[in-house]
Amino acid sequence: MEVSIIFKIAAVGILVSVLSQVLKHSGRDEQAFLVSLAGLLVVLFWIVPYIYELFDSIKQLFEL
């Protein structure tokens, strides 16, 4: 697993939390929710290949 993916996820988390707080304080709760959802989806799209690789490795391990 690459270390850079961890930093990317942390950067998205920081950015999403700051944007959410700014939007919530300005009274735009719906947009704050959508920003949080978009951040979650971006991170999930980054993580899915690693999860697939993990399950593939486990499958190959037990085929011995």
Side-chain angles (χ1 to χ4, degrees):
M1 181 176 202
E2 300 174 13
V3 177
S4 65
I5 192 78
I6 296 171
F7 291 121
K8 287 180 185 177
I9 292 171
V12 169
I14 292 168
L15 185 65
V16 164
S17 65
V18 168
L19 285 174
S20 275
Q21 290 299 318
V22 168
L23 288 170
K24 281 183 184 179
H25 285 291
S26 66
R28 298 181 178 181
D29 292 330
E30 293 85 12
Q31 279 114 1
F33 173 73
L34 289 176
V35 166
S36 298
L37 186 62
L40 177 66
L41 290 176
V42 166
V43 169
L44 281 176
F45 279 121
W46 287 341
I47 294 296
V48 165
Y50 293 107
I51 294 173
Y52 176 77
E53 183 180 329
L54 172 69
F55 284 138
D56 195 40
S57 297
I58 292 172
K59 180 182 167 187
Q60 289 177 358
L61 178 69
F62 287 113
E63 285 181 355
L64 296 176

